[in-house]
C-alpha cells in the first residue's frame, strides 16, 4: 500500500515584482521635488514699478526723442524748445534682487543723454535727462 501524500504546506511565496514599489518611490520623489521647486519660484516673486522718464529740451528747437530702456524702444516724445516732456514706462523686476535699468533719450539730430536706475520696490522712479 501506498502512504497518503503529505498535507500541503503553506503556499510557497512567489517572488513579487519590485517595479510597483520603485515606481511609487519615484513618483513620491518627483512630487516632492516639484513642490520644493514650486515653492522656491513662488517665494521669489516678480515686482512691478514705473520709470518716469522726464526729458528736457535745451537744443533751441523742437525735438523728437526716442526713449530706450535696456535697449528696447519704450516710446517717442515730441519736446518743444526749452520744455520738459515725460513718458511712463512699466518695468518688472525680481523682488529678491531688484534690477538695474539703462534709460536713454536719443534724437536723429544728435543730442543724446542716458543714465541707469536701480529698481527694487514698487513705485515710480523719476529719471531726468537733458538734450541739447
Amino acid at each position: 500500500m501506498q502512504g497518503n501524500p503529505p498535507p500541503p504546506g503553506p503556499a510557497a511565496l512567489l517572488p513579487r515584482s519590485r517595479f510597483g514599489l520603485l515606481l511609487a518611490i519615484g513618483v513620491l520623489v518627483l512630487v516632492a521635488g516639484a513642490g520644493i521647486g514650486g515653492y522656491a519660484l513662488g517665494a521669489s516673486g516678480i515686482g512691478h514699478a514705473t520709470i518716469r522718464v522726464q526729458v528736457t529740451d535745451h537744443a533751441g528747437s523742437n525735438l523728437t526723442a526716442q526713449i530706450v530702456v535696456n535697449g528696447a524702444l519704450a516710446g517717442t516724445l515730441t519736446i518743444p524748445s526749452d520744455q520738459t516732456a515725460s513718458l511712463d514706462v512699466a518695468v518688472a523686476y525680481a523682488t529678491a534682487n531688484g534690477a538695474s535699468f539703462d534709460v536713454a533719450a536719443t534724437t536723429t539730430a544728435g543730442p543724446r543723454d542716458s543714465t541707469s536706475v536701480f529698481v527694487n520696490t514698487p513705485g515710480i522712479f523719476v529719471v531726468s535727462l537733458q538734450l541739447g
Side-chain angles (χ1 to χ4, degrees), residues 3-128:
N4 290 337
L13 295 175
L14 297 175
R16 288 188 152 183
S17 171
R18 292 189 181 152
F19 177 74
L21 179 62
L22 291 175
L23 181 64
I25 291 172
V27 167
L28 286 175
V29 168
L30 287 175
V31 167
I36 292 169
Y39 175 78
L41 284 175
S44 64
I46 301 297
H48 299 278
T50 299
I51 297 176
R52 179 165 291 149
V53 183
Q54 295 181 334
V55 184
T56 303
D57 175 7
H58 294 295
S61 63
N62 296 345
L63 291 176
T64 300
Q66 293 184 333
I67 308 302
V68 177
V69 177
N70 284 351
L73 180 64
T76 302
L77 288 175
T78 300
I79 312 161
S81 178
D82 295 322
Q83 298 291 317
T84 300
S86 65
L87 175 71
D88 287 348
V89 180
V91 295
Y93 61 95
T95 56
N97 302 327
S100 180
F101 294 92
D102 297 321
V103 181
T106 60
T107 65
T108 56
R112 178 183 205 291
D113 192 13
S114 65
T115 190
S116 293
V117 61
F118 183 74
V119 176
N120 61 355
T121 59
I124 298 175
F125 293 80
V126 179
V127 173
S128 295

